[in-house]
Amino acid sequence: MKNDNHASHHVIVPVKTYVAVFVALLILTFLTVFVAQFDFGSFNLLVALIVAMVKASLVVMIFMGLKWNKSFDRFAFFACLIFLFIFFLLVFVDIPLRSYRGVEESQHINLKSPVKLIAPGEAPVHH
Amino acid sequence: MDTSLQTESLLHTGTTFFPEGVGPFASSMDSLFYFIFWGSVIIFVPLILVSIYFLIAYRRKRENQLATKQMTHSTFLELAWTVPPTILVLIVFVWGFKGFLHMSVAPLNSQEIHVSGKKWFWEFSYPNGNKGIGELVVPVDTPVTLLMTSEDVIHSFFVPNFRIKRDVLPNRYTKLWFEADKVGNYQVFCTEYCGDGHSAMLAVVRVLSAEDYEDWLAEANSGDDLPLDKLGEKLYTSKACATCHSTDGTSRVGPTWKSLFGSKKAFVGGGTATVDENYIHESIVNPGAKVVAGFDNVMPTYAGSLNDREISALIAYIKTLQ
Amino acid sequence: MSMLVNKPHHVAHHFASEAQEFESARLGMWVFLVQELLFFGALFVAYGIFRWWHPQMFIEAHHYLSWKMGAFNTVVLIASSFTMVMAIRSAQVNERKPLISYLLLTLLFAGVFLGVKYIEYMEKIHHGLLPGHFFSAQGVSEYLHLFFGIYFTMTGLHGLHILVGMGLLVWLLVRAIRGEFHSEFYTPLEMVGLYWHFVDLVWIFLFPLLYLIG
Amino acid sequence: MSQVALNYLNATKGLKSWFCTLDHKRIGIMYLICIAVAFGLGGFFALALRLELISPKEILFTAKQYNQLFTLHGAVMVFLFIVPSIPASLGNFLLPLQLGAKDVAFPRLNLTSWYVYVFGALFCVYSMVAGAVDTGWTFYTPYSIDSATSVISMTLGAFILGFSSILTGVNFIVTIHKMRAPGLTWFRLPLMVWALYATSIIQVLATPVLAITLLLLVLERTMGIGIFNPALGGDPVLFQHFFWFYSHPAVYIMILPAMGIMSELVTTFCRKDIFGYKMIAFSSLAIAIISFLVWGHHLFVSGQSDYAAMIFSLLTYLVAIPSAVKVFNWVATMYRGSIQIKAPFLYFLGFMFLFCIGGFTGVMLGALSLDVHLHDTYFVVAHFHYVMMGGTVMAFIGGLHYWWPKMFGRMYNETLALIAWAFVMLGFNMVFFTQFILGSKGMPRRYYSYLDQFQPLHAFSTVGSWVLAVGFILMAFYLIDSLLNGKKAPSNPWGAMTLEWQTQSPPITENFLETPVVTHGPYDFGMEKQS
Ligand code: HEA
Ligand code: HEA
Ligand code: CUA
Ligand SMILES: [Cu+2]
């Protein structure tokens, strides 16, 4: 059982690494909340996503061990992200580019909205 | 099938695969079809013939006979049957795309008609305020744009002779254009499944010559001179009541009109009533108010689509069906 | 003490070696996670579309969520991921007691997460901030109910995954107490660990996308 | 000889030994039985709906019942029959055998996936008795949100069946990666294995999207989350995107394993090494990957943006090329072979003929302008029956005949097989070739009633469905008969080279007496000459 195969797949990661990642994740969480206070206009989403992606990479590479796991697992995971991206991309080739001839964009004709409408200034009852 | 107007035959006109083409899209689309068709034949027939030849020439004659040659690749062959098909399909793509663009960009001078799909009939509203059900009247040689929306589920507006089709969606407008270059009556189908009456959701495009079209516009309020029950009979088909109601006693989506007047009806959720003028009036304007037991509440309201005289006419007609 | 004796693991009959068995399990888990990724991915696509359509509505809607609770839960989940890797590590170095305590801690964090989620849900229910048919609150945008449709679907499915994860953790605990995990065998720990981190991963995206729209 | 006496069928006895079995071969057989029942059920619905279409008037069913019939026909055929058909039954039986392994990587998961399948099937059956769905197999919103029929139980059924499919996919991927016999490198794998591998990729990547879509539909009906409901501000076309993101790749879930079977049949019955092994193997992968990029060709007239329509049309053509490559390679394989025309090979020929017609008409549908005219007409119905029935079902039946001796250790009646094949081919073309003409002439699909002028063609098509049914009933008869009275099959009746034929028929529980060591490619018929 102590063949080379075995050894290569059972990496024992030092506690230090795990703690470092843990701390980094906490800091990044703080950072997301913090940057959300500022308004970067349309970059808000981008900033939030970049931070989230950094956090995600830490979890995937260290906690889930893809950094040491050089087998097909790694390929499978990243290849799948490409499929997800394709899904996003092609749906977005449709919806934002549709032409609503004669009608204002995405204006609905017969919306049965359950929302009790109030004017923008008014405070809603909740909160 | 109840259609008031006889339409041009789809099956017996045109080419083997297509009904007679009317308007600007037919010729390019038909040639694309026959291009792919003959292209496929040219690939398919030799493919099958070669296979059959191999079957005969190399069939196993004794048990355990081995193949005479083991051949596993040939770069030339691989290229020969990858590259030409690729080129062929790219030609088809460009051709199809061009045709599609032609269909999606309507000429600026086109006449606009609103189309509304409802379960299970088509309603057309003309620029002058006229409304019609089941019958779209257009002048010949004039581009027409249909601005379409649905009141309930998705429908799809399809005129085989014009080679046009587009889904009609609730809460959104979609557009379709055509230019009929031949006078006649052309069949309209609903091609997006929309429930029980899907296959009865038909209509007719009446393409009139310029003079006839003028006449039609002039007598838009036709029916004034008809006696009430005759007008009712006309409305029965033209307003698409016939899709759901029969006059001979058979049950369609809705109850039959035979012996309706004066009969006693039980409703979903209890209650009964005897059918009189008021009841029929209510059934037409507010069909959901009393739903006849054994039927679903699917009849659309005709409030706004029928005027008082027309409702009276329908009542008069129903009275005659005893 | 018999409690502390490691139970030897027997390789299933159709595998040639322990390495083959372990790698198969791990590949299987990754392929399963890939499946999960597309499962949640589709929801993110829907989210993206509606956010693109109604940016103002999303901004309005996120004010009705409490970012403090969201942030707290993020920390809780990250902590649980950390205790999970530590649990696996303890098994790798044959430390039975830390293994059990780390598993217990993970379970505890999962419970806290669901507790906070429960408080949040109750509040939403109280205010009528619910998907379409049940929505009964006031708002500026007439599309507000859509946000809560998406919110409840995404967090609900995520919560369901946490719940399943807790079940798996209990199962691991029982086996750990029986002494089945040690440096020679800890495949189930590793597999549940992957699953658990994945659930954390989803939350890492859900948090900014739902609570922190600016 | 003890070797013949003991096999996986008689090694243990009793119902329990079947319902708790972990043996992939038994699980494959259990799937086979379920799938045959599903096919019979779907075929029964098909015959009923064809019967109604013999006349434009109401003869047997009301409009609503007709709509329920074609929905159930489509849903049963797709979710219960064709998606699991080849992978779960033949695939399960064969994969470890062809890999020289004792079992799949996760036998328990394998059994679970069968139970999940049965559970999902029960939901579907429940839905049939509790007010059969009438939405069409595509469940388009908003109709499916409003429909008063049992939509929820059917969608939940399909949802559960999806998980069964995912579990099978996961299992196969791991098995192919990790369980190959010593010496069995990737390019020594039989092409069936490549095909199953590509299929599994699609199953794992696409099915979850169907799952979430159906779940959202259930939530839409119960809670009104509104994403797909235009009345609440949602977008029905988004539903179609989601649905086809799964369902287009799903049509390749159906055809890829069928193509795998074709490669096996052509080599064995021509005694030839396959022509262009790598091209065929890679084209399977190419199809699997590109299939994710083309779903929008079902939405050309749905109101999606013109840009999307353009991209999807272009990509649709890219996916046709790898199919073309395979077809030509198979024909080339026949060149100078030693061709023996047995029942499985007849189905190979049937596949070639019918699938090409189906494929070429697919090319017509992929053309943007043409699809505007042809969409949702009987032309589409004919197209997909040519590829699904003429492609997948033909291959499935061919494969079933090919591996029948291996599975049950019995030979069937060759003459009856030939007659049944003739009936099936004749009947099939009668039913569906007519539908091409109907469709391009303008006859829309899902029509309960139609213009009188179409009646002769419809009636001809209905008569064809009876010829087809005769063929299938005959087939059911002689296959069942072979189990009882068939001749004992030798271990390698066709003289094939792949590993499953190197063990006894039927195989023992652990497949091989000793793990085989592979030293050459899967179709190395040239070797025989030297030895
Ligand atoms: C097994 C299932 C299967 C398979 C394999 C295919 C294969 C293909 N399909 Fe089909 N399809 C369906 C099942 C399938 N389809 C179903 C079920 C529907 C309708 C669902 C519904 O609405 O209910 C559908 C609908 C459908 C549509 C939508 C129609 C509409 O609703 O308007 C389109 C449009 O592009 C299409 C295209 C294609 C193409 C281009 C291929 C290609 O992959 C075909 C490739 C094969 C060949 C091309 C033949 C062999 C090649 C040669 C001999 C070489 C020479 C070739 C050339 C030069 C091109 N299909
Ligand atoms: C795998 C897929 C598959 C298969 C094999 C078939 C097979 C058949 N299909 Fe169908 N079909 C679909 C998938 C399939 N179909 C789908 C997805 C739709 C679209 C639904 C929708 O619009 O929503 C459709 C729609 C559809 C329509 C269009 C309905 C409409 O739009 O109104 C028609 C009409 O002719 C039809 C006919 C047939 C016929 C005659 C067969 C025949 O080939 C059937 C032959 C089979 C038999 C005759 C069974 C006999 C077998 C036995 C007796 C075996 C004995 C049993 C045991 C051993 C247990 N099908
Ligand atoms: Cu309206 Cu179909
Ligand atoms: Cu498709």
Side-chain angles (χ1 to χ4, degrees):
Chain A
M1 223 160 290
K2 291 271 178 293
N3 53 27
D4 12 317
N5 231 348
H6 186 75
S8 73
H9 291 114
H10 293 237
V11 186
I12 298 181
V13 182
V15 180
K16 228 172 46 207
T17 316
Y18 283 148
V19 173
V21 170
F22 179 46
V23 173
L25 286 172
L26 291 181
I27 293 173
L28 285 167
T29 305
F30 175 76
L31 191 71
T32 354
V33 177
F34 180 70
V35 295
Q37 318 295 315
F38 305 102
D39 194 3
F40 302 106
S42 51
F43 287 105
N44 279 337
L45 184 62
L46 198 68
V47 174
L49 280 181
I50 289 176
V51 178
M53 271 178 211
V54 175
K55 285 166 79 179
S57 325
L58 282 176
V59 172
V60 171
M61 296 311 279
I62 313 287
F63 281 180
M64 298 171 91
L66 274 197
K67 179 160 180 269
W68 303 278
N69 181 351
K70 299 246 162 55
S71 66
F72 181 73
D73 306 0
R74 193 193 232 179
F75 174 79
F77 186 75
F78 289 111
C80 149
L81 289 180
I82 297 174
F83 280 93
L84 194 54
F85 176 72
I86 290 169
F87 191 7
F88 256 97
L89 190 78
L90 288 179
V91 172
F92 270 86
V93 171
D94 170 20
I95 285 168
L97 297 176
R98 275 186 207 161
S99 43
Y100 296 83
R101 292 166 219 272
V103 205
E104 208 160 286
E105 207 164 89
S106 79
Q107 174 196 323
H108 285 76
I109 306 154
N110 267 316
L111 187 69
K112 293 196 195 75
S113 167
V115 182
K116 302 190 188 71
L117 285 185
I118 52 174
E122 271 172 69
V125 174
H126 41 90
H127 272 256
Chain B
M1 183 141 301
D2 291 284
T3 30
S4 48
L5 288 167
Q6 194 56 44
T7 52
E8 315 278 308
S9 170
L10 293 170
L11 195 63
H12 306 291
T13 60
T15 55
T16 321
F17 280 96
F18 278 87
E20 184 191 11
V22 174
F25 313 125
S27 68
S28 128
M29 196 185 281
D30 296 11
S31 1
L32 174 56
F33 179 90
Y34 285 107
F35 174 76
I36 306 176
F37 180 80
W38 289 114
S40 306
V41 169
I42 290 171
I43 298 172
F44 182 67
V45 170
L47 197 76
I48 295 300
L49 288 182
V50 166
S51 307
I52 293 176
Y53 170 74
F54 286 172
L55 277 185
I56 298 167
Y58 308 126
R59 81 178 180 285
R60 196 173 300 170
K61 300 199 179 75
R62 289 174 280 108
E63 269 315 299
N64 287 326
Q65 191 194 316
L66 294 174
T68 48
K69 185 164 185 220
Q70 294 289 345
M71 155 190 185
T72 55
H73 33 254
S74 144
T75 313
F76 169 72
L77 276 178
E78 297 283 359
L79 284 178
W81 60 54
T82 314
V83 176
T86 311
I87 296 171
L88 224 57
V89 292
L90 287 181
I91 295 175
V92 170
F93 161 70
V94 173
W95 194 334
F97 182 51
K98 278 193 164 157
F100 188 71
L101 279 189
H102 188 195
M103 289 175 166
S104 44
V105 186
L108 288 173
N109 62 346
S110 63
Q111 180 186 345
E112 200 166 88
I113 296 175
H114 281 250
V115 179
S116 161
K118 283 193 212 180
K119 281 179 182 168
W120 288 283
F121 59 89
W122 297 102
E123 189 175 70
F124 305 97
S125 321
Y126 299 89
N128 64 4
N130 277 357
K131 284 189 177 181
I133 287 177
E135 191 181 302
L136 170 62
V137 184
V138 295
V140 74
D141 289 330
T142 313
V144 175
T145 300
L146 303 178
L147 197 57
M148 308 187 295
T149 188
S150 159
E151 308 261 307
D152 35 51
V153 299
I154 306 179
H155 304 278
S156 188
F157 193 85
F158 176 35
V159 191
N161 292 101
F162 299 172
R163 315 279 191 270
I164 56 169
K165 179 184 291 134
R166 190 105 229 196
D167 281 8
V168 179
L169 296 124
N171 267 335
R172 222 184 112 183
Y173 285 100
T174 48
K175 208 164 106 164
L176 198 57
W177 81 275
F178 64 89
E179 181 180 340
D181 55 12
K182 190 164 161 284
V183 171
N185 297 328
Y186 303 103
Q187 186 66 49
V188 177
F189 293 109
C190 172
T191 45
E192 184 60 65
Y193 174 67
C194 53
D196 298 351
H198 170 56
S199 62
M201 191 164 163
L202 308 175
V204 173
V205 185
R206 268 175 73 197
V207 179
L208 302 181
S209 66
E211 307 89 77
D212 287 350
Y213 187 69
E214 290 302 316
D215 292 349
W216 178 80
L217 280 181
E219 62 163 293
N221 287 331
S222 68
D224 276 351
D225 43 343
L226 282 177
L228 274 184
D229 56 337
K230 286 281 169 292
L231 174 60
E233 187 173 4
K234 211 179 128 198
L235 292 170
Y236 167 68
T237 44
S238 71
K239 296 289 174 184
C241 314
T243 25
C244 304
H245 298 283
S246 77
T247 54
D248 60 2
T250 54
S251 226
R252 291 185 191 159
V253 175
T256 179
W257 284 357
K258 189 178 159 75
S259 311
L260 173 62
F261 197 82
S263 65
K264 220 175 159 67
K265 289 281 173 169
F267 302 115
V268 173
T272 55
T274 305
V275 176
D276 57 11
E277 285 86 351
N278 282 325
Y279 171 76
I280 297 182
H281 190 282
E282 185 191 46
S283 295
I284 296 172
V285 179
N286 185 9
K290 298 196 181 69
V291 177
V292 182
F295 294 90
D296 296 330
N297 181 17
V298 290
M299 176 167 156
T301 171
Y302 280 82
S305 304
L306 294 171
N307 60 31
D308 285 346
R309 183 175 144 80
E310 287 169 326
I311 295 179
S312 311
L314 280 162
I315 295 173
Y317 174 57
I318 291 174
K319 280 185 185 166
T320 65
L321 301 167
Q322 284 312 319
Chain C
M1 223 177 103
S2 76
M3 248 280 281
L4 285 173
V5 173
N6 290 340
K7 283 206 189 133
H9 169 68
H10 300 287
V11 175
H13 80 285
H14 58 290
F15 288 113
S17 69
E18 207 245 83
Q20 189 191 23
E21 187 180 43
F22 174 79
E23 282 173 26
S24 299
R26 196 176 58 185
L27 177 59
M29 197 64 212
W30 274 105
V31 176
F32 180 77
L33 291 185
V34 156
Q35 178 277 129
E36 289 275 2
L37 195 65
L38 273 132
F39 185 78
F40 279 103
L43 284 174
F44 281 101
V45 172
Y47 170 95
I49 290 297
F50 282 92
R51 180 154 177 189
W52 189 87
W53 254 326
H54 308 298
Q56 287 308 318
M57 180 275 274
F58 269 70
I59 292 180
E60 182 194 350
H62 96 281
H63 288 303
Y64 304 139
L65 301 181
S66 154
W67 68 265
K68 290 185 189 117
M69 292 206 196
F72 178 75
N73 257 353
T74 312
V75 172
V76 169
L77 267 198
I78 291 175
S80 79
S81 262
F82 174 70
T83 50
M84 190 72 218
V85 281
M86 290 307 291
I88 299 170
R89 197 181 180 282
S90 310
Q92 284 173 329
V93 295
N94 268 331
E95 292 177 350
R96 173 86 59 83
K97 278 207 182 112
L99 164 62
I100 292 171
S101 1
Y102 277 127
L103 282 178
L104 273 172
L105 266 179
T106 315
L107 201 57
L108 179 76
F109 285 135
V112 171
F113 180 90
L114 284 186
V116 174
K117 227 34 289 149
Y118 175 78
I119 298 171
E120 286 190 80
Y121 273 18
M122 287 323 274
E123 203 189 352
K124 298 289 152 323
I125 293 172
H126 179 72
H127 290 304
L129 290 163
L130 290 169
H133 292 333
F134 303 108
F135 191 95
S136 61
Q138 293 183 326
V140 178
S141 165
E142 52 184 338
Y143 297 104
L144 204 54
H145 58 285
L146 285 176
F147 180 87
F148 288 94
I150 293 172
Y151 168 82
F152 274 99
T153 318
M154 290 181 108
T155 56
L157 281 175
H158 179 259
L160 213 62
H161 277 79
I162 300 263
L163 217 58
V164 170
M166 288 175 75
L168 293 172
L169 282 168
V170 170
W171 171 71
L172 288 184
L173 256 175
V174 173
R175 291 188 67 176
I177 290 169
R178 286 209 209 118
E180 292 183 27
F181 303 135
H182 40 78
S183 62
E184 298 297 310
F185 177 72
Y186 51 88
T187 314
L189 271 178
E190 176 103 16
M191 299 312 124
V192 175
L194 287 176
Y195 171 85
W196 193 253
H197 300 311
F198 178 80
V199 176
D200 186 13
L201 211 66
V202 173
W203 185 259
I204 285 178
F205 284 92
L206 282 181
F207 171 57
L209 289 180
L210 292 173
Y211 292 80
L212 300 177
I213 303 161
Chain D
M1 225 169 64
S2 70
Q3 198 188 333
V4 185
L6 212 60
N7 60 52
Y8 79 101
L9 288 171
N10 62 15
T12 49
K13 289 210 164 50
L15 274 184
K16 186 159 170 275
S17 77
W18 279 85
F19 285 117
C20 299
T21 184
L22 296 181
D23 183 347
H24 67 98
K25 297 184 286 308
R26 285 191 165 196
I27 296 172
I29 300 292
M30 295 197 312
Y31 262 118
L32 185 64
I33 293 168
C34 295
I35 278 156
V37 172
F39 182 65
L41 189 64
F44 172 75
F45 288 133
L47 292 177
L49 74 87
R50 272 302 348 150
L51 192 58
E52 176 60 46
L53 288 178
I54 202 167
S55 146
K57 307 218 170 37
E58 172 174 334
I59 49 176
L60 274 178
F61 305 106
T62 62
K64 182 162 208 95
Q65 286 166 334
Y66 176 82
N67 297 340
Q68 291 167 326
L69 274 178
F70 75 68
T71 304
L72 293 178
H73 164 67
V76 167
M77 282 298 195
V78 171
F79 296 117
L80 282 172
F81 168 65
I82 200 167
V83 168
S85 64
I86 300 177
S89 65
L90 295 179
N92 235 326
F93 185 90
L94 281 173
L95 187 63
L97 280 166
Q98 291 199 325
L99 293 177
K102 287 184 185 145
D103 208 322
V104 292
F106 311 115
R108 218 168 260 124
L109 193 68
N110 202 9
L111 183 65
T112 312
S113 87
W114 184 77
Y115 276 105
V116 173
Y117 171 88
V118 172
F119 188 59
L122 287 180
F123 265 81
C124 296
V125 171
Y126 168 78
S127 154
M128 285 173 210
V129 286
V133 253
D134 70 339
T135 58
W137 80 282
T138 47
F139 304 115
Y140 274 15
T141 58
Y143 186 77
S144 56
I145 301 176
D146 300 339
S147 170
T149 54
S150 56
V151 178
I152 292 188
S153 48
M154 184 54 98
T155 37
L156 282 180
F159 175 83
I160 297 167
L161 289 170
F163 279 102
S164 163
S165 179
I166 292 173
L167 296 184
T168 307
V170 171
N171 214 339
F172 281 13
I173 290 183
V174 178
T175 306
I176 295 169
H177 269 276
K178 302 289 178 197
M179 309 292 285
R180 301 192 306 272
L184 191 53
T185 55
W186 282 91
F187 290 118
R188 284 180 186 167
L189 288 175
L191 286 164
M192 177 74 183
V193 175
W194 273 100
L196 286 172
Y197 185 69
T199 311
S200 304
I201 294 178
I202 307 181
Q203 283 179 310
V204 169
L205 286 179
T207 320
V209 176
L210 175 75
I212 193 75
T213 311
L214 296 178
L215 201 64
L216 286 174
L217 179 56
V218 171
L219 295 179
E220 201 71 76
R221 280 179 72 96
T222 50
M223 309 206 300
I225 50 169
I227 296 180
F228 299 139
N229 191 350
L232 288 171
D235 181 22
V237 180
L238 188 63
F239 177 88
Q240 298 174 19
H241 277 296
F242 275 37
F243 183 82
W244 291 111
F245 183 87
Y246 165 75
S247 291
H248 181 81
V251 310
Y252 295 101
I253 295 181
M254 306 168 191
I255 203 68
L256 279 170
M259 292 168 155
I261 293 181
M262 287 302 106
S263 305
E264 300 292 315
L265 293 182
V266 72
T267 52
T268 299
F269 291 93
C270 299
R271 295 253 162 105
K272 270 279 304 279
D273 199 344
I274 192 92
F275 189 89
Y277 176 93
K278 286 196 181 172
M279 290 294 268
I280 296 185
F282 285 133
S283 67
S284 287
L285 288 184
I287 289 178
I289 290 164
I290 307 174
S291 74
F292 281 91
L293 310 179
V294 309
W295 77 80
H297 66 211
H298 298 271
L299 281 73
F300 286 159
V301 303
S302 71
Q304 74 176 351
S305 79
D306 294 348
Y307 302 93
M310 177 190 76
I311 292 174
F312 282 125
S313 172
L314 180 61
L315 293 168
T316 297
Y317 285 120
L318 293 189
V319 85
I321 301 302
S323 308
V325 166
K326 287 185 191 247
V327 168
F328 290 124
N329 276 307
W330 292 325
V331 175
T333 302
M334 290 163 72
Y335 174 65
R336 296 187 71 175
S338 164
I339 303 176
Q340 186 187 28
I341 303 182
K342 290 275 184 168
F345 199 66
L346 286 174
Y347 285 98
F348 168 83
L349 297 172
F351 175 100
M352 291 282 280
F353 187 79
L354 302 176
F355 174 73
C356 284
I357 297 181
F360 284 125
T361 52
V363 171
M364 293 171 176
L365 291 170
L368 275 168
S369 65
L370 263 179
D371 186 63
V372 171
H373 179 69
L374 298 174
H375 173 73
D376 266 354
T377 64
Y378 263 82
F379 195 89
V380 177
V381 174
H383 156 69
F384 68 70
H385 282 92
Y386 264 85
V387 277
M388 297 209 287
M389 175 86 187
T392 311
V393 175
M394 285 284 155
F396 179 51
I397 297 172
L400 194 64
H401 282 74
Y402 178 53
W403 284 295
W404 190 266
K406 182 55 63 184
M407 295 170 102
F408 300 107
R410 303 281 187 163
M411 301 302 288
Y412 46 81
N413 184 321
E414 196 64 43
T415 323
L416 288 181
L418 179 81
I419 298 172
W421 177 81
F423 268 100
V424 170
M425 284 298 282
L426 178 69
F428 178 83
N429 285 296
M430 282 174 72
V431 183
F432 293 108
F433 200 82
T434 1
Q435 295 185 0
F436 282 126
I437 299 176
L438 272 174
S440 58
K441 283 283 187 180
M443 166 79 207
R445 65 191 278 208
R446 295 173 172 171
Y447 261 35
Y448 161 65
S449 164
Y450 47 83
L451 303 184
D452 294 335
Q453 53 186 290
F454 291 133
Q455 191 180 7
L457 289 178
H458 266 300
F460 185 76
S461 175
T462 301
V463 173
S465 73
W466 302 335
V467 178
L468 190 53
V470 169
F472 278 116
I473 291 168
L474 182 60
M475 190 185 306
F477 165 74
Y478 72 73
L479 283 181
I480 292 169
D481 178 65
S482 91
L483 291 183
L484 308 173
N485 313 315
K487 259 203 342 253
K488 282 236 158 25
S491 67
N492 191 356
W494 321 114
M497 296 293 284
T498 40
L499 282 177
E500 77 271 25
W501 299 105
Q502 315 311 322
T503 182
Q504 65 174 45
S505 303
I508 52 166
T509 303
E510 298 235 307
N511 294 343
F512 300 94
L513 287 173
E514 53 199 83
T515 306
V517 177
V518 182
T519 52
H520 55 82
Y523 313 112
D524 235 345
F525 287 94
M527 301 258 306
E528 270 180 8
K529 216 180 286 177
Q530 281 121 43
S531 62

